[in-house]
Amino acid sequence: MKTTLQSYTVNDVLEGFVFNEYEGRGLYGLNGRLVIQPEYQRHYIYGDGKRDVAVINSILSGYPLGLIYFNADPETDRLEVLDGQQRITSVGRFVTGKFAIVRNGKEQVFGSLPPEDKELILDSDLLVYECVGTEGEIKEWFQTINIAGVPLVDQELLNAIYSGPFVTAAKSEFSSSNNANLQKWHAYVKGDPKRQGILAVALNWVADSRGVGLDSYMAAHRHDTTIGELTTYFTTVIDWIGSVFTGPPEKEMQGLEWGRLYEEYHNTAYDAVAVADDVERLHASEDIRKKRGIYEYLLSGKEKSQLLEVRVFDDNTKKAAYRNQTGAAKALGVSNCPMCAGSGNANKVRLYAMNDMEADHVAAWSKGGATDLANCEMLCVPHNRSKGNF
C-alpha cells in the first residue's frame, strides 16, 4: 500500500460537511469529495458529551489531533476516511452547532465564539496520509490502526471485511439508535446499536440456525441488496419469546441465548398462563440463586433444575434432621433412613452415620416444597440418588 502525506485545514475538510442526526453518521466533506464514514466504518460514538468536547478543547489549546488516514481512489479522485472519522465528525458537529463547550466560564456554541477562536479552529492543520491500495490491504490497515483508541468490536471489524449492500441494509435496520423497535428488542437482547451489538446478535442467531459460522454467512450474503432472511428470523425469535413469556419482561431475560432456545424449543406447545404463574413463583422463591436460569428451566419442562442453582439445605438443618430421625429410629428399632425402614432388605434396621446420608426434600422442590427443616429428611445415599433431589 502506498501512502502520501498531505496537509488540509479543518475548514478544507469540513467544506460541504453533512451530519445525519437520525443515523448518527457524518457523511461528506471536502465539498463532497470525501466520504467521512464509509460502510465499513462504525457509527459515530464520540457523542457522549465528553469526548466531543475534548476534541474541540484540544484544538483551542493548540494541540494536534494526530494523524488521519484517507483511502484514495486514483480513478475517481474520491477519498474516504480510513481513520479519524470520530475526530472529524466531532469538529464538524461543533462547527455546525450540534453541541456546546464551556469557554472562559461560559457555555458557547461555535457561532458565539470570539472571531479569533473560530479562526483557530477552522485554520487548524490536519496531517493526513492518503493511502492507495487493494481492498484487502485497506481493510487490513483499517484493522491495524484501530487497535489503539476506542477498540473496534468484532462486529465492526466484520462489517469492514464484508462491506457492501448487505451490511449497509443490515446496519440501517439494526444499528440505528432511533429504531422504534429498540425498546422491545432490548428486553431480550444486550448491546449498543451504535457499536453493532444488536446487529451482532441478529446475525449470530440466523447464522447458527443455518449451521454456518458468522463469517461464512456474511460472506455468502455480502452482495445481497435485501436482508429479508435476517429480519424475518430475528423478528420470529423475538415474537416467540413474547408468546411464551407473556408477562412484563424481567431484567434477567436480557442477553440469554434466545436464538439457541428458539431452535431447541419453538416446536413445543406451552400454556402461557401456567408459564406466567411459574415465572412469578420462581422469581419470588428465595431458594433460587440464579434467576436467569428460570426461562430455560421452564422451556425444558422443568427438567434442567441445575440451571437454577437451587439453595441446598445448610449444615445446621441437616444435622437437626439427622438427630430427629435417628432418635425416633432408635426408639422404634428401625433404620434412620425412612426408605430403608420401609423396605424388606437387610438395611431395614441399619442406623447410618450422618456422612452416609444426604438431605432430601420431602415435598419435591419442583412442586413447591420449601428448603427448610420441616421439609427436610435424611436418606441413605443410594436411596437419595435413586429418588432424585427435586
Side-chain angles (χ1 to χ4, degrees):
M1 185 172 67
K2 179 182 177 182
T3 59
T4 305
L5 184 62
Q6 304 284 358
S7 179
Y8 295 95
T9 65
V10 165
N11 196 44
D12 292 333
V13 172
L14 295 184
E15 187 177 5
F17 175 81
V18 177
F19 183 77
N20 186 319
E21 289 285 356
Y22 180 75
E23 294 185 353
R25 293 171 66 82
L27 302 178
Y28 302 107
L30 287 175
N31 204 24
R33 181 175 169 234
L34 173 68
V35 179
I36 294 176
Q37 203 170 52
E39 287 309 323
Y40 54 81
Q41 285 274 20
R42 57 185 163 202
H43 285 193
Y44 180 62
I45 62 172
Y46 274 16
D48 58 3
K50 296 179 181 178
R51 287 174 289 188
D52 253 337
V53 171
V55 170
I56 305 306
N57 285 336
S58 293
I59 294 178
L60 290 172
S61 299
Y63 302 148
L65 288 184
L67 288 173
I68 290 172
Y69 296 84
F70 291 168
N71 177 27
D73 185 341
E75 295 184 4
T76 63
D77 196 36
R78 298 270 290 184
L79 301 167
E80 58 186 21
V81 177
L82 190 59
D83 183 60
Q85 62 104 346
Q86 304 286 338
R87 288 166 284 167
I88 292 172
T89 304
S90 285
V91 180
R93 291 182 71 247
F94 181 69
V95 170
T96 54
K98 299 296 190 298
F99 66 94
I101 64 169
V102 176
R103 183 74 170 162
N104 299 322
K106 293 173 150 184
E107 191 171 89
Q108 304 264 22
V109 295
F110 180 78
S112 65
L113 289 176
E116 60 271 22
D117 284 346
K118 293 181 183 177
E119 184 177 340
L120 175 59
I121 291 172
L122 294 176
D123 289 347
S124 292
D125 289 323
L126 299 176
L127 292 180
V128 178
Y129 272 112
E130 292 186 2
C131 308
V132 179
T134 65
E135 179 179 338
E137 290 173 332
I138 294 298
K139 300 295 173 61
E140 183 179 357
W141 183 238
F142 171 72
Q143 179 174 351
T144 301
I145 61 179
N146 275 282
I147 291 174
V150 180
L152 294 170
V153 298
D154 290 345
Q155 190 59 52
E156 289 170 334
L157 291 173
L158 288 171
N159 288 350
I161 294 168
Y162 301 112
S163 60
F166 180 79
V167 166
T168 300
K171 287 173 68 177
S172 178
E173 175 68 16
F174 294 102
S175 302
S176 171
S177 58
N178 294 303
N179 191 308
N181 292 311
L182 272 182
Q183 184 175 1
K184 179 180 179 181
W185 295 347
H186 269 146
Y188 312 118
V189 179
K190 278 186 178 179
D192 180 354
K194 289 185 177 180
R195 297 305 305 275
Q196 312 307 312
I198 305 295
L199 176 57
V201 171
L203 285 167
N204 273 289
W205 283 1
V206 73
D208 288 346
S209 75
R210 302 298 180 261
V212 298
L214 183 54
D215 286 74
S216 298
Y217 187 86
M218 293 186 70
H221 293 274
R222 179 176 186 176
H223 300 293
D224 291 359
T225 56
T226 61
I227 55 169
E229 180 181 64
L230 176 63
T231 55
T232 297
Y233 189 83
F234 183 79
T235 302
T236 298
V237 175
I238 296 293
D239 289 347
W240 171 77
I241 301 168
S243 71
V244 177
F245 301 101
T246 56
E250 301 283 351
K251 63 180 181 179
E252 292 87 3
M253 301 178 82
Q254 189 186 53
L256 294 178
E257 295 179 322
W258 290 115
R260 175 182 64 81
L261 296 175
Y262 172 79
E263 288 297 318
E264 288 187 29
Y265 300 110
H266 76 274
N267 288 321
T268 302
Y270 296 95
D271 180 339
V273 174
V275 169
D277 289 343
D278 282 335
V279 169
E280 184 177 0
R281 174 178 60 82
L282 294 172
H283 260 285
S285 173
E286 296 180 357
D287 290 341
I288 296 176
R289 293 182 291 185
K290 189 175 181 181
K291 304 295 187 184
R292 286 174 63 81
I294 288 173
Y295 307 97
E296 187 170 359
Y297 170 70
L298 293 176
L299 290 171
S300 72
K302 303 180 183 179
E303 293 181 357
K304 297 183 178 181
S305 52
Q306 68 273 16
L307 295 168
L308 303 174
E309 293 184 7
V310 176
R311 181 172 64 89
V312 296
F313 292 103
D314 60 40
D315 287 343
N316 287 336
T317 299
K318 288 189 284 188
K319 288 177 182 177
Y322 178 79
R323 286 196 301 269
N324 292 342
Q325 286 176 218
T326 302
K330 286 180 179 178
L332 295 173
V334 296
S335 173
N336 56 353
C337 168
M339 295 186 73
C340 286
S343 70
N345 61 34
N347 292 326
K348 184 176 181 178
V349 296
R350 178 179 174 181
L351 291 176
Y352 290 91
M354 186 170 173
N355 289 342
D356 295 325
M357 305 186 83
E358 294 176 339
D360 179 62
H361 291 78
V362 178
W365 178 88
S366 60
K367 292 180 169 50
T371 306
D372 58 20
L373 179 59
N375 195 43
C376 178
E377 68 176 357
M378 302 298 290
L379 300 178
C380 68
V381 172
H383 273 128
N384 189 54
R385 301 287 171 87
S386 63
K387 179 184 176 185
N389 291 320
F390 288 87

